[in-house]
Amino acid sequence: MPVGEMGAFLLFLMIVFLFGKLWFHFIEAILRRIKKLFTHYKKTSAWHPLSPDKED
């Protein structure tokens, strides 16, 4: 495989990778805004039901 073809293939892979990262961040931003819209008035709770530690 000539060097030019390998370079073109690597450039193509870089473009696909960058597009995927941009697409991921775009979708995450949209989902974050939708979540913020529906959970704006709710108070966030702890992710675990454990009580605080007691000292002996």
Side-chain angles (χ1 to χ4, degrees), residues 2-51:
V3 177
E5 288 181 11
M6 287 191 297
F9 182 69
L10 288 175
L11 181 64
F12 173 74
L13 288 178
M14 265 175 96
I15 290 171
V16 169
F17 176 74
L18 291 174
F19 177 76
K21 285 186 69 73
L22 288 173
W23 182 257
F24 173 78
H25 288 293
F26 177 69
I27 296 298
E28 285 293 316
I30 290 173
L31 291 176
R32 191 178 319 122
R33 287 188 183 191
I34 291 172
K35 183 178 177 183
K36 188 176 180 182
L37 183 73
F38 287 114
T39 61
H40 180 66
Y41 300 107
K42 293 182 181 178
K43 183 179 178 184
T44 57
S45 60
W47 62 272
H48 59 82
L50 300 174
S51 60

